[in-house]
Amino acid sequence: MLKCSLVEFVEFYKVLALFSLVLQILVFLLIIIAMGLKARRKLRLHGIVMLAAVGLHTVTLLVVMAPSFSIGLIPYISENPLTPISLISIVHGAAGLLAWLLGTWIVFTWRLSASLQNCTRKKGAMRATLVLWLIALILGFIIYLNFYTTILSL
């Protein structure tokens, strides 16, 4: 069985958290690119870039965020339920999960269709997804600063 010290374990999660943050910044850049494409009426290309953003976000969620949340944050929240960082973590998880579910639903129901009819009906869901994802991104950055830097301590 592989054994590591607590310091090695924390360092591993520090690197993993930084990797996750970098991937989420890439997702953010993809969203900005997709919004530019939408503004230029290149809607199919907008959808393809958003598909890439949702795909990258899904990988990050499954490989980094879900394990990190279950192994690190849930025990921390259980022991410190009313601290600001625990409450921020709960809202981050809920907003992020809802954004991922909505984004996945939007992308899968679109299915690379050339028809814009399905897209216009989902405009409200797309906006809600963007707002939820931005909330999760900002709160995730706060969580990162709290646990992995000395910049913020909540």
Side-chain angles (χ1 to χ4, degrees):
M1 176 149 196
L2 182 66
K3 289 187 177 186
C4 67
S5 70
L6 181 59
V7 171
E8 292 169 325
F9 182 76
V10 169
E11 283 302 312
F12 172 74
Y13 270 93
K14 195 181 223 182
V15 170
L16 210 54
L18 180 59
F19 178 67
S20 176
L21 181 62
V22 168
L23 289 178
Q24 287 306 303
I25 291 169
L26 288 175
V27 170
F28 181 63
L29 293 174
L30 286 173
I31 291 170
I32 290 171
I33 291 166
M35 291 174 74
L37 291 167
K38 181 184 155 279
R40 292 192 324 247
R41 311 287 298 153
K42 295 184 179 196
L43 299 178
R44 183 168 170 74
L45 196 51
H46 161 80
I48 291 168
V49 172
M50 287 307 299
L51 173 64
V54 170
L56 181 57
H57 181 68
T58 299
V59 169
T60 309
L61 180 74
L62 297 175
V63 173
V64 179
M65 292 184 204
S68 161
F69 203 82
S70 62
I71 292 170
L73 278 177
I74 289 177
Y76 180 86
I77 293 167
S78 298
E79 293 173 13
N80 308 285
L82 298 178
T83 61
I85 198 65
S86 291
L87 299 174
I88 288 169
S89 298
I90 291 166
V91 174
H92 164 73
L97 182 61
L98 283 173
W100 176 72
L101 289 171
L102 277 169
T104 302
W105 171 73
I106 291 165
V107 166
F108 276 107
T109 57
W110 171 58
R111 295 183 305 270
L112 301 175
S113 171
S115 169
L116 300 178
Q117 192 174 25
N118 281 339
C119 292
T120 55
R121 283 186 270 178
K122 292 185 176 76
K123 204 175 211 175
M126 291 177 193
R127 287 184 178 142
T129 303
L130 179 60
V131 168
L132 285 167
W133 186 81
L134 286 171
I135 290 168
L137 178 66
I138 292 165
L139 295 179
F141 187 64
I142 291 169
I143 292 167
Y144 177 82
L145 291 176
N146 181 78
F147 286 114
Y148 301 108
T149 73
T150 56
I151 296 170
L152 184 66
S153 181
L154 295 174

